[in-house]
Amino acid sequence: MSTQLVTVEVRRWIAVQFKEGHDQNKILAALRASGWDADVAEQAVQAVLGKQGQQPGLKRFEAAQRALPPSGRLPEPDLTAERSECVVEGHTVKVLLTLAQPRIVVFGGLLSDEECDALVARARPRMSRSETVADTSVGSEVNTARTSDGMFFTRGEDACVARIESRIAALLNWPVENGEGLQVLHYRPGAEYQPHYDYFDPGHVATPAILARGGQRVGTLVIYLNTPEAGGATVFPDIQLAVSPVKGNAVFFSYDQPDPGTQTLHGGAQVCAGEKWVATKWLREGEFI
């Protein structure tokens, strides 16, 4: 599997070359001549320009740029030494899997069993049916695609939550204040969350109001608070990856633009036996208010 990362700078270069009159074949040839893997180059060009002879991908890319962090910087763990574990604020976190494109990292032991149990205990009395972004300007609504119960902690709500948020911020090199409050979700047998994207659709009627609270989402961390008896994996259909839910482990992924080209389509597979508890931390480009 190629480890070449198609950054936002590469996508911008592709868009500029196309606007200057270079066709897709010339852009692909230039990328390959610069050492890019042919398949990665093809995916990058199609993500920006769409398939041969089409341009909807370019329009999506241009719309997405308006919601990017100005610096193009994304949350990212320090894995430059290809280390198999990180020590974060005195807590050892294992690195179980890394992918460059899409950017996915699976962590082992991000939370202790005691921390997982504490979050579940605090969340349990406050659960209600989970919602999604609505098709109108009201903001959110109950949707059959998401059959879980959930609740939000406010950021820094208590010592336990604050400690976990501080660890996440240090691990992902992203400010605490740029994170939404932890959301805890509970899935009973048969519950699931169908594949979706976590970024906010630039064309959605509710998006401007959502972005006013901290900008676009640029990263997601899903922490498993228990190990279901069967099922409940986090699935990434575009790359045929399934991450098994193991208590204390977590999966992180980032997206440099609000577009399907990021390959961050993901979902929560159906829980076949037992129950599943997760805590999700969404990271914004700016301070979340």
Side-chain angles (χ1 to χ4, degrees):
M1 181 178 292
S2 173
T3 60
Q4 291 176 313
L5 178 62
V6 181
T7 64
V8 67
E9 288 77 14
V10 173
R11 291 189 174 99
R12 287 189 182 122
W13 179 86
I14 292 171
V16 169
Q17 296 303 306
F18 185 81
K19 287 185 174 182
E20 290 181 350
H22 302 287
D23 63 27
Q24 295 191 25
N25 290 333
K26 288 183 179 180
I27 295 172
L28 281 170
L31 287 170
R32 289 195 295 267
S34 298
W36 284 85
D37 178 85
D39 290 340
V40 176
E42 179 75 25
Q43 291 173 7
V45 170
Q46 288 197 11
V48 177
L49 305 180
K51 295 182 179 180
Q52 188 72 30
Q54 302 176 353
Q55 295 185 34
L58 179 61
K59 294 179 181 178
R60 290 197 310 269
F61 176 81
E62 291 174 335
Q65 297 307 292
R66 293 191 288 272
L68 274 176
S71 65
R73 180 172 169 262
L74 295 171
E76 174 66 20
D78 181 9
L79 304 178
T80 53
E82 298 184 357
R83 61 187 71 179
S84 60
E85 60 182 36
C86 303
V87 178
V88 184
E89 299 185 340
H91 185 88
T92 299
V93 180
K94 296 180 180 179
V95 180
L96 304 180
L97 171 72
T98 64
L99 292 176
Q101 181 63 28
R103 187 49 170 155
I104 298 175
V105 183
V106 179
F107 296 107
L110 176 59
L111 299 188
S112 67
D113 284 356
E114 293 76 17
E115 288 170 327
C116 291
D117 294 343
L119 283 182
V120 171
R122 286 165 167 77
R124 191 184 294 273
R126 298 162 57 180
M127 306 300 287
S128 60
R129 177 68 186 273
S130 300
E131 298 183 341
T132 62
V133 174
D135 290 331
T136 66
S137 59
V138 299
S140 63
E141 63 182 359
V142 171
N143 192 302
T144 56
R146 191 179 196 185
T147 52
S148 62
D149 296 318
M151 58 78 64
F152 279 94
F153 289 105
T154 58
R155 198 169 56 229
E157 179 170 319
D158 59 29
C160 177
V161 170
R163 181 175 67 252
I164 292 170
E165 290 176 331
S166 177
R167 186 181 307 159
I168 292 171
L171 177 66
L172 300 179
N173 294 297
W174 206 247
V176 169
E177 60 269 21
N178 287 25
E180 297 180 27
L182 278 171
Q183 184 189 41
V184 173
L185 295 174
H186 179 213
Y187 295 83
R188 297 179 176 85
E192 64 180 336
Y193 194 178
Q194 294 175 10
H196 60 282
Y197 299 99
D198 280 353
Y199 57 74
F200 302 112
D201 182 354
H204 197 286
V205 64
T207 295
I210 294 172
L211 297 185
R213 298 189 63 194
Q216 187 59 263
R217 284 177 178 167
V218 291
T220 301
L221 181 72
V222 179
I223 309 170
Y224 306 109
L225 302 180
N226 79 315
T227 303
E229 294 177 33
T234 302
V235 296
F236 294 84
D238 288 346
I239 58 172
Q240 299 183 31
L241 174 68
V243 179
S244 298
V246 175
K247 187 175 183 178
N249 289 5
V251 57
F252 162 74
F253 52 99
S254 61
Y255 23 98
D256 62 2
Q257 56 178 314
D259 187 87
T262 58
Q263 296 182 296
T264 54
L265 182 70
H266 66 286
Q270 187 176 94
V271 176
C272 300
E275 59 181 359
K276 172 185 169 185
W277 288 85
V278 301
T280 301
K281 169 65 77 170
W282 285 296
L283 308 174
R284 296 288 192 103
E285 60 179 321
E287 181 178 358
F288 179 70
I289 56 175

